[in-house]
């Protein structure tokens, strides 16, 4: 690469979902702090929904997934969405590279979400450095890798399952595509496809940090060179080194930020349970009802994010009846909420960003995983990181109200509360250390930068 005043121009390409945009956006900000110019390209539909504001160093641009009016919801099914996205996405990504080609800052590095290997092919066609960015844990990636390479045969007929570097796993700890054969085939194909060309990528980045998964990272690094660069949480909550970096800054949903803060600020320290199921999960009516009754029955305050699409599933008059005991909002600034002193625990669907945010902010958890990697994340935070409990699911697939109430009580005031808090504080300290100057992730970011500059 020719020497330039700036480190280079990086194009970051996330898979179009909140949980994928947030980490790549944050990583782009880190690269800007290391002297790069960065552009985050989202689909046209997401761009129009989020309305991001470009700044001097971090810019936003668009490509198309072929569904400019409605994204996923416009597609017949997820398989069709992915197929069209590969075709239209490849073409519009190439157009984007060409558009920048004759400017002062042509794109010289593409960091693509590992769900989108199409980007590596495009990057290579233009002779551009291409780095895969894995948004899930190393453990989950390694499980998918094992399946992709035929090292772990499906369906699994004997348990427990041993994978080098991972704790012994039961079937229910595996990603849902594996424990429930045939579920969400299009997504399963996509997570396996992450490894279709990852060995040709110029670098492989993972949103985790070494101290969190040393055995898994050591083990997987024997077959795939990995650079753990996380946690990709805004700097304000960790090392505080990046100016004005206190929020992801992009939301697919409308925020109720001040409402949450004002309400939380009136509550005593450690007295509130925060609940959220992330941006994608859709709960059954029965599950929503069980949650609602558990919250009503429990003695703790609660702040519950119920997306607009889920609101109709709440029991009738629930919001009126809870009064000041609970606050239900459609979306919040999760980091702001988690860092509020009033929060005592996080009842989470165990999405990786949510889990990593709770670890980074030192908040104990109750896990109610729904699908995909969430079950494995729950296994880790209960048994490896020891920062909470995982709720038991009944045979009908529902976590019942008594179990929810029990788990909340256990984390809010049970015998193990102090241990959960102590461990959560330990992971927070390690997260801060990893991303701070000279920490394991910071060094890996520097290694990535020098790999790119010397390419
Ligand atoms: N999030 C948020 N406000 C909310 C709920 C979630 O800002 O009310 C953010 C959260 O901080 C996280 C992301 O949305 O960064 C969700 O990602 P995760 O991987 O946890 O779950 P997904 O949405 O992908 O299932």
């Amino acid at each position: 690469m020719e020497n330039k005043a700036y480190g280079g121009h990086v194009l970051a390409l996330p898979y179009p979902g909140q949980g994928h945009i947030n980490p790549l956006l944050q990583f782009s900000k880190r690269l800007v702090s290391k002297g790069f110019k960065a552009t985050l390209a989202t689909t046209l539909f997401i761009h129009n929904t989020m309305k991001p504001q470009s700044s001097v160093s971090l810019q936003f641009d668009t490509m198309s997934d072929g569904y400019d009016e409605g994204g996923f919801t416009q597609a017949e099914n997820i398989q069709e969405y992915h197929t069209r996205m590969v075709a239209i996405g490849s073409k519009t990504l190439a157009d984007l590279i060409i558009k920048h080609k004759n400017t002062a800052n042509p794109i010289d590095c593409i960091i693509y979400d590992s769900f989108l290997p199409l980007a590596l092919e495009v990057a290579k066609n233009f002779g551009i450095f291409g780095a895969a960015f894995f948004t899930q844990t190393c453990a989950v990636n390694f499980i998918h890798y094992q399946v992709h390479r035929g090292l772990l045969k499906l369906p699994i007929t004997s348990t427990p399952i041993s994978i080098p570097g991972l704790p012994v796993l039961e079937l229910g700890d595996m990603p849902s595509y594996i424990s429930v054969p045939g579920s969400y085939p299009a997504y399963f194909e996509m997570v396996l496809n992450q490894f279709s060309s990852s060995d040709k990528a110029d670098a492989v980045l993972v949103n985790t940090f070494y101290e969190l998964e040393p055995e898994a990272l050591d083990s997987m690094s024997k077959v795939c060179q990995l650079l753990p660069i996380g946690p990709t949480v805004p700097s304000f909550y960790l090392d505080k080194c990046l100016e004005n970096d206190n929020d992801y800054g992009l939301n697919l949903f409308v925020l109720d930020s001040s409402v949450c803060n004002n309400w939380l600020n009136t509550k005593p320290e450690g007295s509130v349970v925060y609940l959220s199921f992330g941006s994608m999960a859709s709960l059954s009516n029965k599950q929503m009802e069980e949650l609602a009754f558990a919250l009503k029955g429990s003695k703790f305050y609660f702040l519950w994010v119920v997306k607009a699409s889920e609101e109709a599933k709440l029991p009738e008059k629930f919001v009126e009846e809870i009064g000041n005991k609970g606050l239900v909002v459609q979306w919040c600034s999760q980091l702001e909420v988690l860092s509020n002193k009033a929060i005592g625990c996080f009842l989470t669907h165990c999405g990786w960003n949510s889990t990593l945010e709770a670890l980074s902010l030192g908040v104990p958890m109750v896990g109610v995983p729904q699908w995909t990697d969430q079950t494995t994340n729950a296994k880790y935070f209960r048994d490896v990181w020891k920062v909470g409990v995982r709720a038991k699911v009944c045979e009908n697939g529902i976590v019942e109200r008594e179990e929810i109430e029990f788990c909340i009580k256990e984390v809010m005031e049970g015998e193990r509360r102090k241990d959960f808090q102590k461990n959560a504080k330990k992971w927070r300290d390690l997260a801060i250390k990893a991303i701070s100057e000279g920490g394991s992730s910071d060094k890996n970011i520097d290694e990535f930068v020098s790999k790119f500059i010397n390419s």
Side-chain angles (χ1 to χ4, degrees):
M1 207 201 84
E2 171 195 337
N3 258 343
K4 298 195 177 126
Y6 60 93
H9 186 180
V10 170
L11 179 73
L13 195 72
Y15 182 78
Q18 186 80 57
H20 290 256
I21 292 169
N22 288 357
L24 256 170
L25 176 68
Q26 274 316 118
F27 187 61
S28 301
K29 291 184 196 165
R30 285 270 161 201
L31 290 179
V32 168
S33 78
K34 302 257 179 198
F36 283 78
K37 177 182 165 61
T39 298
L40 186 96
T42 57
T43 61
L44 207 58
F45 169 68
I46 292 221
H47 186 89
N48 291 339
T49 311
M50 290 181 152
K51 301 191 177 32
Q53 302 296 316
S54 291
S55 63
V56 179
S57 49
L58 186 61
Q59 308 211 321
F60 296 95
D61 214 324
T62 57
M63 54 167 298
S64 174
D65 54 2
Y67 298 94
D68 298 342
E69 308 304 320
F72 291 115
T73 55
Q74 212 188 325
E76 191 77 359
N77 55 50
I78 207 69
Q79 179 66 59
E80 186 196 281
Y81 178 80
H82 287 156
T83 307
R84 191 166 160 81
M85 177 178 212
V86 172
I88 309 284
S90 301
K91 158 94 181 62
T92 52
L93 174 60
D95 292 344
L96 188 59
I97 295 168
I98 293 166
K99 184 178 98 178
H100 284 271
K101 206 167 178 168
N102 296 319
T103 65
N105 303 125
I107 288 157
D108 21 49
C109 172
I110 296 185
I111 304 180
Y112 64 95
D113 192 311
S114 54
F115 282 9
L116 302 173
L118 66 94
L120 183 63
E121 223 178 296
V122 178
K124 292 291 146 201
N125 288 341
F126 284 91
I128 293 175
F129 187 96
F133 186 102
F134 282 72
T135 58
Q136 297 179 324
T137 64
C138 176
V140 167
N141 295 328
F142 202 31
I143 294 172
H144 291 146
Y145 175 88
Q146 301 272 326
V147 177
H148 182 258
R149 294 289 145 107
L151 303 167
L152 183 65
K153 302 261 185 283
L154 300 185
I156 289 175
T157 48
S158 93
T159 55
I161 303 142
S162 291
I163 295 176
L166 271 60
V168 167
L169 299 167
E170 297 298 334
L171 199 57
D173 301 326
M174 298 299 269
S176 65
Y177 314 116
I178 296 173
S179 56
V180 188
S183 60
Y184 300 100
Y187 281 117
F188 192 33
E189 192 187 322
M190 186 173 68
V191 295
L192 298 186
N193 209 22
Q194 293 177 103
F195 300 100
S196 59
S197 59
S198 55
D199 51 347
K200 298 190 187 70
D202 297 302
V204 178
L205 307 158
V206 197
N207 185 19
T208 184
F209 57 98
Y210 183 76
E211 293 73 10
L212 205 50
E213 308 182 80
E215 295 91 357
L217 282 158
D218 287 344
S219 188
M220 189 165 174
S221 290
K222 289 183 188 145
V223 292
C224 172
Q225 265 300 314
L226 301 171
L227 289 172
I229 48 73
T232 55
V233 165
S235 174
F236 174 79
Y237 296 98
L238 295 170
D239 56 327
K240 301 190 194 299
C241 280
L242 271 55
E243 251 178 75
N244 301 324
D245 181 30
N246 53 8
D247 194 6
Y248 292 115
L250 284 185
N251 284 289
L252 273 174
F253 307 91
V254 180
L255 271 182
D256 282 341
S257 211
S258 58
V259 180
C260 296
N261 286 335
N262 292 343
W263 188 82
L264 285 172
N265 290 341
T266 64
K267 303 292 173 277
E269 191 170 331
S271 66
V272 180
V273 181
Y274 167 62
L275 300 90
S276 165
F277 287 82
S279 61
M280 290 176 77
S282 168
L283 273 56
S284 66
N285 288 0
K286 177 74 183 148
Q287 187 61 79
M288 288 292 279
E289 189 182 302
E290 293 304 298
L291 279 160
F293 281 109
L295 293 171
K296 236 174 158 179
S298 115
K299 64 178 189 193
F300 303 104
Y301 292 113
F302 65 88
L303 167 55
W304 188 3
V305 176
V306 179
K307 284 176 297 168
S309 55
E310 299 281 282
E311 270 179 340
K313 299 174 185 172
L314 286 171
E316 222 176 300
K317 299 217 176 83
F318 175 73
V319 174
E320 291 96 305
E321 283 171 14
I322 53 169
N324 185 42
K325 183 180 177 189
L327 179 67
V328 178
V329 296
Q330 292 185 349
W331 195 249
C332 70
S333 165
Q334 184 157 295
L335 290 163
E336 230 172 72
V337 167
L338 287 174
S339 64
N340 193 299
K341 284 197 166 44
I343 298 297
C345 88
F346 180 14
L347 188 149
T348 170
H349 72 312
C350 314
W352 181 230
N353 292 290
S354 294
T355 306
L356 196 51
E357 288 161 11
L359 288 166
S360 299
L361 294 171
V363 180
M365 287 175 266
V366 172
V368 184
Q370 300 296 301
W371 68 309
T372 180
D373 60 336
Q374 295 156 14
T375 34
T376 316
N377 299 339
K379 160 73 184 172
Y380 262 78
F381 80 57
R382 183 189 62 190
D383 294 340
V384 180
W385 304 319
K386 297 185 170 45
V387 291
V389 301
R390 175 179 173 179
K392 287 191 188 70
V393 186
C394 281
E395 273 167 20
N396 60 3
I398 299 291
V399 180
E400 292 183 335
R401 62 189 78 176
E402 296 78 11
E403 172 68 5
I404 299 165
E405 251 192 271
F406 171 79
C407 288
I408 289 177
K409 202 160 181 278
E410 186 70 3
V411 178
M412 290 293 276
E413 62 174 22
E415 268 178 27
R416 291 184 290 161
R417 164 96 186 144
K418 283 217 157 58
D419 289 337
F420 293 147
Q421 280 179 316
K422 194 176 91 202
N423 292 332
K425 162 96 174 53
K426 176 182 97 179
W427 294 116
R428 168 164 170 73
D429 292 345
L430 287 170
I432 294 173
K433 201 166 164 205
I435 203 68
S436 297
E437 203 179 333
S440 58
S441 289
D442 183 61
K443 280 189 191 152
N444 287 335
I445 297 172
D446 286 343
E447 188 178 329
F448 167 72
V449 170
S450 80
K451 215 173 176 179
F452 163 61
I453 288 181
N454 297 316
S455 66

